[in-house]
Amino acid sequence: MAELDLAEVGLRAVNQQLHALSRESNDLDWRLLNPLGRHSIAVGLDAPAKVTVEGHAGFYCGGMNKQAEIIIEGHAGPGVAENMMSGTVRVKGNASQSAGATGHGGLLVIEGDASSRCGISMKGIDIVVGGSVGHMSAFMAQLGTLVICGDAGEALGDSIYEAKLFVRGKVESLGADCIEKEMTPEHLETLGSLLERAGIDADPEDFRRYGSARKLYNFDVDHADAY
Amino acid sequence: MDPDTPRTTPRKSALFDDYTLSEIRRAASTGIYDIRGGGSKRRLPHFDDLLFLGASMSRYPLEGYRERCDTGVVLGTRFAKTPLELKIPITIAGMSFGSLSGQAKEALGRGANAAGTSTTTGDGGMTPEERGHSKQLVYQYLPSRYGMNPDDLRKADAIEVVVGQGAKPGGGGMLLGQKISDRVAEMRTLPKGIDQRSACRHPDWTGPDDLEIKIQELREITNWEKPIYIKIGGARPYYDTALSVKAGADVVVVDGMQGGTAATQEVFIEHVGQPTLACVRPAVQALKDLDMHRRVQLIVSGGIRNGADVAKALALGADAVSIGTAALVALGDNDPHWEDEYRQLGTTAGAYDDWHEGRDPAGISTQDPELAKRLDPVRAGRRLANYLGVMTLEAQTIARACGKTHLHNLEPEDLVAVTVEAAAMAQVPLAGTDWIPGRGY
């Protein structure tokens, strides 16, 4: 395992070394020491590396990740794993707002709570939150799955498109065009598989499913007050 | 009534003119605001309200076409390892695949390449055709993040963070279901045929302090190589420019309210934002106050049509301009050749603006493959290259007449205004006087 100390070599050098990795690299297992809340740690990775951030990260940690498995052994700032394409980002602690924003693929696991706008504009990413999420989560969510093992704040799934939402706890309120939907065996299987991949022990039967009513997909003057 | 009694000629209201009346009737019938493309159509103070003072005795002109007047511009000299070097200070503004046909995007690339300048992607991502046909391509980073991909970020020559657009500062994208074809739907991860609504602000940052961090992330991902532009709608140009500089922009793009759009509410296009002319001096002043003028480059867009507009924008302090609507016209948009079909759509060549409906007879603002085939990208690209060449020649001609060896040597002192409004907005004297409104004598 290779180690890099952010306090010693700095962010630029760390990211440069991680960007240089490829599938053929000799050592794909890295530990990043002393993150100290720095921003943009391990962004833009494109190799099947395992990168462990030993502490708290600032904004956008793991942003636009492809292939890599990134583990944050602490809390994460806003926009963790934003626009992730593939791979995994796991936050052992809590995450700030906009976790997984616009993510196109891959899996984001937040073992603690996530703040507001978790999964905003998600486009195919799967997000599993061990705790609760804040308001406006999954706003304009287009594709992918958001699993919330705790509670959801106000306006969950506002203006949602085709993303799937599963919530085990209570939902403060649903946003525009978001409704509760039937949980079919297929959904239970999907959810169970995701929870297993996330390493979170929860019974899919305890969850409720939410998604788009699709009433706002084409403008209708009689729905104008819903926009 | 006695036929010999004079009758009053019917008089229509200036306030409730025919257009206004028709819009009230349309709104009452449909229950939705009017949506259209293009920019503001109303008469606003513009570069036409400025005139150049050619050289006579007190200034020494250059020989037209003989003495050198350079046109090159380098964009992104502040932080980027590889700034964009353009032969002319006229760039092609961001217009999306989705809004425009693939043929139109290809033609824009071909024309820009021939002229030695850059094109820009739009809301919807980068297509292989577009990258393939544009030697210098600016990748827009938009609130919607449709098709946003780190591989494309790395393929780009520059990145433009779109915060606002002149036609709709504060407004989000709008692409109606008619134009969401299979390919557009796939690029945007949306169901086919829906009315796509994209957010008016970025999902993961909420202000200039956050944007500074976001820009750092983009730089880290792209190895600090690409210039980062920030595009703002022309609403509060002084403060927005200053904050863009603070956030780390290499280039600031200020888009005035004559700037176009693929589709938005008519009321937005005509009633939000400031005229382009009014945006230039405050943006330049912000750069000067921060000692960043020419160190952070300024691109001005919004209704740029000819070499005189280019020269005037540069004289007021811009480093380059950007064109969108004019480039589409150069490709063949609104061409009288298609008049019969424009008539069938209830409009006329020169007034067609329902780009969101996807029925563009010229094959430019459409996703209909049969219509799109009408545009020959090679020929259309040649037309755009010609047009860019003419604009450049025109600007050079004016600059030489003012005694300048580079377009960037034009200055406010070369200008006067023919209206008080333009004099105030451009901060140049009213013609025949020394008076700059707001400054006194």
Side-chain angles (χ1 to χ4, degrees), chain B residues 212-374:
Chain B
E212 187 172 356
I213 302 167
K214 174 52 86 178
I215 286 175
Q216 181 204 35
E217 183 204 10
L218 296 173
R219 291 195 200 280
E220 282 295 321
I221 290 170
T222 55
N223 200 27
W224 288 74
E225 290 170 357
K226 330 276 184 191
I228 305 283
Y229 300 12
I230 296 179
K231 180 175 180 176
I232 54 177
R236 296 175 181 83
Y238 181 87
Y239 296 107
D240 290 345
T241 299
L243 289 171
S244 297
V245 171
K246 188 264 179 196
D250 292 298
V251 176
V252 178
V253 183
V254 177
D255 191 27
M257 75 177 280
Q258 288 103 327
T261 182
T264 203
Q265 300 92 338
E266 156 95 2
V267 71
F268 221 131
I269 293 173
E270 295 291 2
H271 298 280
V272 183
Q274 293 204 59
T276 305
L277 182 63
C279 295
V280 187
R281 292 307 292 276
V284 171
Q285 193 60 48
L287 293 171
K288 286 184 172 174
D289 288 350
L290 294 166
D291 195 23
M292 283 290 175
H293 191 218
R294 307 298 187 201
R295 296 165 69 187
V296 168
Q297 286 79 42
L298 175 68
I299 299 177
V300 167
S301 56
I304 303 293
R305 305 152 300 168
N306 52 42
D309 288 351
V310 176
K312 289 168 186 175
L314 267 51
L316 293 177
D319 295 278
V321 300
S322 201
I323 60 169
T325 304
L328 299 185
V329 173
L331 298 187
D333 187 70
N334 269 292
D335 195 295
H337 177 74
W338 304 108
E339 180 60 18
D340 289 346
E341 294 188 46
Y342 286 126
R343 294 271 180 192
Q344 286 172 25
L345 294 173
T347 184
T348 186
Y352 175 66
D353 56 19
D354 287 327
W355 297 342
H356 57 290
E357 293 182 348
R359 296 189 290 170
D360 184 354
I364 294 171
S365 58
T366 182
Q367 291 301 310
D368 181 328
E370 290 305 312
L371 291 173
K373 269 196 294 192
R374 292 179 175 182

Side-chain angles (χ1 to χ4, degrees), chain A residues 12 15 19 39-40 44 60 63 66 82-83 98 102 104 117 123 140 142 161 216-219 221, chain B residues 31-32 144-146 148 150-151 154 188-189 193-195 197 203-206 214 216-217 220 223-224:
Chain A
R12 188 77 275 272
N15 281 334
H19 290 170
H39 308 313
S40 308
Y60 309 127
K66 283 177 72 185
E82 67 86 20
N83 213 88
S98 306
T102 78
H104 285 70
R117 302 189 292 175
K123 295 168 170 38
M140 280 190 159
Q142 295 174 218
Y161 291 96
L216 301 184
Y217 277 15
N218 292 96
F219 184 83
V221 65
Chain B
I32 186 171
S144 71
R145 310 275 171 85
Y146 291 138
M148 183 64 230
D151 293 337
R154 290 184 276 259
R188 302 185 183 213
T189 330
I194 66 156
D195 295 344
R197 320 177 297 277
D204 53 3
W205 57 268
T206 53
K214 174 52 86 178
Q216 181 204 35
E217 183 204 10
E220 282 295 321
N223 200 27
W224 288 74

